[in-house]
Amino acid sequence: MQATVNEAPVIKGSNKVLMNYVPVYVMLPVRCLLSSSLIVENGRPLGIVSPKNTFKDEDGTRAQLEKLKEAGVDGVMVDVWWGIIEGKGPKEYDWNAYRQLFKVIQECGLKVQAIMSFHQCGGNVGDVVTIPLPQWILDIGKSNPDIFYTNRRGTRNPEYLSLGVDTEPLFQGRTALQLYSDFMKSFRDAMSDFLATGLIIDIEVGCGPAGELRYPSYPESQGWVFPGIGEFQCYDKYLKEDFRKAAVNKGHPEWELPYDAGEYNNTPEQTGFFRTNGTYTTDKGQFFLTWYSTKLLYHGDKILEEANKAFRGCTLKLAAKVSGIHWWYNYHCHAAELTAGYYNLYHRDGYRPIARMLSRHHAILNFTCLEMRDSEQPSYAYSGPQALVRQVLSDGWKESIDVAGENALGRYDSTAYNQILLNARPNGVNQNGAPKLKMYGFTYLRLSDDLLETQNFSVFKKFVKKMHANQQPCEKSEKYGNYIGPLEQSMPKLPVEILLEASAPTAPFQWDQATDMNVDGVFAGLYAKFLNLGSCLFKFK
């Protein structure tokens, strides 16, 4: 499994630079679709779609999509909400509004990245709309609240089902994995014509809160504020029993789940678990963190296995999103990452095992916070977004998988766009063909009136052009190296020992100091090249 990035091939033909093209997608806002009876913003129903789940604002949405097409955008990303589609009852799927939306997108000449959104919308950073899980699921939770993630004080979080119930037949005879599988199979059947024409190119499989493969360790709905360390979310009865059995099998029946890890807004040194030489460094702490992170790893593995079965043979790619938890990254314990399920320390890589798991499903690793710079973060947060992005993207490339990314916060400035451009092609454009390092794609979050404001949109269009390496929009992805063939069967399940071998730390790949495709213009680009040349000379002194 030791993968490396090969020397970039020299391409014969008329347009070698096109191999540097990175496609750009834009996330559609939640409000463009869905039932007004179920969506509330600031206490008011949105009214964009009728209570019968029909697509109401077609003209307005079409106009915005045409503006994106005019800017050279390659496609759009769309949340496909479980809470809406199966909201009427078990296996009562209503795809009408999505079919109408997809038809408009197709007519505008854009592609679709579809997210299988098995989570609640609301309660996380940036959420202004509330879309709960299906009501019949919430009703089951009233009699059995342990189906939801739970913190040490017993507070339940109904935004996503606990991974502890993945294989428990608690939902009118179905397990959580079967719920997800049936939903995806219904999507495939309902959208078969769009799949056949190549409109839908990615299926991003929701694996946790906000669609990310993580625990809901920092919910704003429960009072978390940046840069709190968060809390472990494994105190429902199913995960408690799983840990008890694991401790017994390890020969330590006396070991219990952490009681000294603090609360959402603590700092590490306020806790016994995360403080210097704290519990996390002991055998007991290491055992817990390995169990906690491995449960999450196999949760993602099992859902992607079901996604592979549902979409096998379709001409598309699978993807999973990993959260960019950059606060406390530069502190010894990486507390915020640990509570989210990423067992990442200076001497242990918490992300490469995820990349290795994704490799068996031929899946893309989608990462966030690509726009952030260290200098923009407060010193008390011990943030390290730039190093974190380098680590995670490098881990994906070392495992020979495609990596994609998103911005975490809405930004309209050239500083953010230039950082994204640097991460998209860490060593710049190769005039002779494909660069050694290149992201598979980038999704901008999200379409809004602010983005379409004249000055903001002008800068955004320059950004898209630079992501395309100054080439014209290209509708055939194979021309720039993104080949999309029929989805193949997942490879055999990897033993935990093989997955955890990937946790041995390795140095990330080298990044240039600045992008050579600066949106600020020619002189800024020349200055960036000067900086990068100076960096190279310094390295070899």
Side-chain angles (χ1 to χ4, degrees), residues 138-445:
L138 298 178
D139 290 342
I140 293 172
K142 290 177 182 177
S143 59
N144 182 7
D146 285 285
I147 67 173
F148 300 124
Y149 283 118
T150 307
N151 67 14
R152 185 175 60 85
R153 296 183 305 282
T155 307
R156 314 292 186 174
N157 190 328
E159 62 179 303
Y160 188 81
L161 294 176
S162 167
L163 63 81
V165 300
D166 277 352
T167 57
E168 298 287 340
L170 303 172
F171 308 96
Q172 300 191 11
R174 290 189 291 168
T175 67
L177 286 174
Q178 288 171 329
L179 298 177
Y180 308 143
S181 176
D182 290 343
F183 181 91
M184 290 187 284
K185 290 174 181 176
S186 178
F187 178 89
R188 174 176 176 164
D189 292 342
M191 306 297 176
S192 58
D193 51 339
F194 294 126
L195 289 165
T197 59
L199 173 69
I200 303 169
I201 57 169
D202 289 353
I203 297 291
E204 184 169 290
V205 185
C207 297
E212 298 168 336
L213 180 61
R214 64 173 174 87
Y215 293 92
S217 56
Y218 53 100
E220 287 191 330
S221 61
Q222 294 184 22
W224 175 85
V225 294
F226 177 85
I229 61 174
E231 295 186 29
F232 293 118
Q233 304 288 322
C234 53
Y235 296 86
D236 62 80
K237 68 181 182 182
Y238 301 102
L239 286 177
K240 286 172 70 174
E241 177 61 13
D242 191 281
F243 179 80
R244 187 194 66 79
K245 290 179 179 178
V248 169
N249 291 338
K250 182 68 173 177
H252 288 279
E254 76 281 6
W255 282 353
E256 297 179 345
L257 293 171
Y259 61 88
D260 58 347
E263 298 183 358
Y264 288 121
N265 295 316
N266 283 149
T267 63
E269 297 303 326
Q270 291 174 323
T271 76
F273 194 91
F274 296 115
R275 68 187 181 193
T276 303
N277 298 320
T279 306
Y280 86 95
T281 66
T282 66
D283 288 345
K284 175 184 174 180
Q286 292 172 16
F287 174 78
F288 165 74
L289 290 169
T290 300
W291 169 84
Y292 189 68
S293 58
T294 303
K295 293 296 294 184
L296 182 68
L297 188 63
Y298 275 121
H299 170 67
D301 186 53
K302 288 182 286 190
I303 297 180
L304 283 162
E305 179 85 56
E306 295 304 319
N308 182 274
K309 293 175 184 176
F311 296 105
R312 191 174 301 160
C314 296
T315 304
L316 51 73
K317 302 275 285 187
L318 296 180
K321 184 160 72 168
V322 174
S323 183
I325 301 178
H326 55 88
W327 55 104
W328 301 109
Y329 181 83
N330 284 328
Y331 204 68
H332 63 86
C333 61
H334 291 238
E337 291 168 275
L338 298 191
T339 57
Y342 305 140
Y343 191 3
N344 189 57
L345 298 168
Y346 295 142
H347 62 273
R348 189 186 194 281
D349 193 326
Y351 300 100
R352 192 166 176 182
I354 296 173
R356 183 164 294 184
M357 177 273 288
L358 293 175
S359 71
R360 91 171 186 95
H361 302 292
H362 322 290
I364 300 167
L365 191 160
N366 186 19
F367 196 60
T368 64
C369 75
L370 264 68
E371 83 284 9
M372 292 185 175
R373 298 190 181 198
D374 296 351
S375 60
E376 299 167 343
Q377 310 304 317
S379 60
Y380 59 80
Y382 290 85
S383 290
Q386 291 176 250
L388 175 61
V389 168
R390 286 196 297 270
Q391 178 187 348
V392 176
L393 299 192
S394 294
D395 284 346
W397 285 320
K398 290 173 185 178
E399 291 297 322
S400 299
I401 64 173
D402 293 318
V403 297
E406 302 175 354
N407 53 303
L409 303 175
R411 296 278 295 270
Y412 313 102
D413 57 287
S414 60
T415 299
Y417 289 138
N418 288 334
Q419 187 64 28
I420 295 166
L421 282 158
L422 175 60
N423 289 323
R425 288 182 297 261
N427 304 135
V429 168
N430 178 12
Q431 299 293 332
N432 294 314
K436 294 180 182 180
L437 303 175
K438 185 186 78 166
M439 290 180 56
Y440 188 81
F442 173 78
T443 301
Y444 178 84
L445 272 57

Side-chain angles (χ1 to χ4, degrees), residues 17 23 67 104 111-112 122 152 188 313 395 446 479 493:
V17 179
K67 289 203 71 172
V104 172
K111 299 295 186 182
V112 171
R152 185 175 60 85
R188 174 176 176 164
D395 284 346
R446 62 183 72 232
K479 287 189 175 182
K493 183 177 179 178

Side-chain angles (χ1 to χ4, degrees), residues 30 32-39 48-57 79-88 92-101 131 183 191:
V30 173
C32 82
L33 173 72
L34 310 174
S35 169
S36 62
S37 64
L38 294 175
I39 302 180
I48 301 298
V49 178
S50 77
K52 292 185 179 181
N53 196 20
T54 57
F55 185 29
K56 283 180 62 178
D57 191 27
D79 275 300
V80 182
W81 293 102
W82 182 30
I84 297 296
I85 300 304
E86 201 177 354
K88 296 177 181 177
E92 294 185 39
Y93 305 106
D94 184 352
W95 299 104
N96 289 332
Y98 280 96
R99 285 197 53 82
Q100 294 175 62
L101 175 62
I131 306 172
F183 181 91
M191 306 297 176

